[in-house]
Amino acid sequence: MTTYVLTAIGNDRPGLVAALASAVDEHGGNWVDSQLALLAGKFAGIVQVDLPDDGVEDFLVALAALEDEVGLQVEASAAEPAAAADGAPSRALRLHLLGQDRTGMVREVTTALRSQGATIDGLRSWTREAPEGGGMLFEAEAELRLPGDRDEADVRDALETIAQELMVDLELDADD
C-alpha cells in the first residue's frame, strides 16, 4: 500500500466529493482521513488515501481527468514514511481565541506558539458579526502539541501577552 495526500479545489457544485470518492474506490483505495470546506464559493479539501501499489499510476491519471469531468483540480503527493518517534512525550492542548477582527492576529499567535516549540495539528478560524453592530469578530480554534520538555505555563504566558496586545479572549486547555 502507498499513502497519498490529496489536495483538491474547485468551484462549489454538487458531486465534487462523490467524484473524488469514486476515483479512490474504483482504484482499490481507502479514504483514510479528510478535511473538506467551502470557502468563498470554492470547495477545498485535503484527503489521505491508501492505494494498492499496482493501482497508483491509473489512479493518478483518473485524478487528472477530474478537472475536465467535474472542474476539480486535484494534486497528489506521496506521503513520507512516518518518522520514528524520538521517544519524547508530548502534550495535547486546545486553544480558543475570540476578539475584534484585525490583520496580523494569526501571525502573532502562531509566532508566539512557534517560540515555545508548539506544533499546530489543526486550525480552524472564521469571522462573524459582533452583536449589536460591534464590527467583526475573529474566532479561532487550534489543536496544539507541546514537546514534553516545554512548560505549558510558558506557552500560556506567551499567549496571554499576545492576548493583551490584541485585546482578545484566549483560552488554553489540556486536550483530554
Side-chain angles (χ1 to χ4, degrees), residues 73-90:
Q73 299 172 341
V74 183
E75 182 178 318
S77 299
E80 297 292 323
D86 60 7
S90 63

Side-chain angles (χ1 to χ4, degrees), residues 76-132:
S77 299
E80 297 292 323
D86 60 7
S90 63
R91 286 186 309 277
L93 302 172
R94 185 168 297 278
L95 172 68
H96 181 259
L97 178 141
L98 175 65
Q100 289 291 336
D101 186 31
R102 74 173 189 87
T103 60
M105 294 175 80
V106 173
R107 178 185 52 82
E108 290 187 42
V109 171
T110 56
T111 298
L113 291 170
R114 181 185 67 205
S115 76
Q116 299 304 310
T119 299
I120 299 172
D121 289 338
L123 172 66
R124 166 103 170 81
S125 64
W126 59 96
T127 57
R128 61 183 166 96
E129 288 194 33
E132 301 182 26

